[in-house]
Amino acid sequence: QLLPLAMVAAMGAAAPAMAQLANSLSTVGPNEPMNKPPTQADWTALGKLPDWSGIWTPDVGDQQRQADENKVPWAPEAKKEIDRLFAEQRAGRPRGIHNTCLPLGMPGFMLITHNALEFLFTPGRVTILGELDGNHRRRIYTDGRKHPEDPDLTLHGHSIGHWEGQGTKQALVVDTVAVLPEAELALDESVGIANGGNAHIVEHIHLADGNTLADDMDISDPKVLTATWKTTRIFHRHRSQRYDIVEYECLLGNDVDKIDSSGNGVFDPTPPPGLK
């Protein structure tokens, strides 16, 4: 049976409830379960958080404005590569950062996505679902745990968070490390550069108004940046059914739907005539 919407949609106000939640889902000890079973009080505490329900779409125009006006403090070698990629883009030869169908990873997941996002609040965790290839997700642990001492590197990294402020003004402060060095610090879908393996992203995600969400990002990367880059990404809320997140798989675009000799539906990787 599906959980009531109130259990996954956050509403209301107040930080004390998050302290209660952090106490009941405290830092994981060596002999404790990784994820403790939530109590009714944990579920109730979610109702004290801001309402981030609905579907959020990125402000792509503002993304471009940030790329044009909010200059990134690139290191010299990184700047040369970024300038080359912009020149290729202007010449009609864009590289295509995710042509491999791999996830964008962090910080690209928040920086350059053109797809819808959804936020799910559950005890000890905020989950961000993205419509981008494979409906990728971020897990932000809010149960008081620390980053692992020897984390496995992933494209989205390891994220821990806590709530600051009061009522609807509360911000989710997220700290992300352990990002794979292949994940790119990108300005758009054809211009970006792989981080050096020590990327660190701090986000303050908060409601700018009733239907506008702001993600204030501080991005540090000692290999490709000379200083922390501060930038903001804007998302707008929609509740209409036509904005609902749909399943999207990049690799399906390489296949053709066909019926085999036994009458079964199959994915055929053979390109149609005239396409190579």
Side-chain angles (χ1 to χ4, degrees), residues 83-188:
D83 288 346
R84 185 189 71 81
L85 291 171
F86 271 125
E88 288 292 289
Q89 184 185 77
R90 290 191 295 270
R93 298 185 294 269
R95 175 169 60 102
I97 286 174
H98 57 92
N99 285 353
T100 61
C101 292
L102 287 170
L104 291 173
M106 280 296 290
F109 186 100
M110 305 302 290
L111 278 178
I112 66 169
T113 184
H114 291 179
N115 299 77
L117 301 178
E118 184 177 16
F119 294 83
L120 303 180
F121 293 0
T122 50
R125 185 179 303 183
V126 173
T127 304
I128 306 178
L129 300 179
E131 191 177 72
L132 191 64
D133 182 41
N135 297 114
H136 291 297
R137 68 201 63 81
R138 293 181 64 195
R139 296 180 177 89
I140 301 167
Y141 298 102
T142 58
D143 57 5
R145 73 182 66 185
K146 307 297 183 184
H147 292 302
E149 291 185 5
D150 185 21
D152 293 328
L153 302 185
T154 63
L155 285 167
H156 294 108
H158 187 272
S159 297
I160 55 176
H162 66 276
W163 291 91
E164 291 183 352
Q166 298 289 327
T168 59
K169 299 297 185 181
Q170 288 182 85
L172 179 62
V173 182
V174 186
D175 189 279
T176 300
V177 297
V179 178
L180 276 169
E182 292 86 353
E184 298 204 10
L185 175 51
L187 297 182
D188 60 31

Side-chain angles (χ1 to χ4, degrees), residues 210-227:
N211 290 306
T212 304
L213 196 72
D215 185 1
D216 301 329
M217 308 178 73
D218 290 0
I219 302 170
S220 301
D221 192 327
K223 181 178 179 181
V224 300
L225 301 177
T226 59

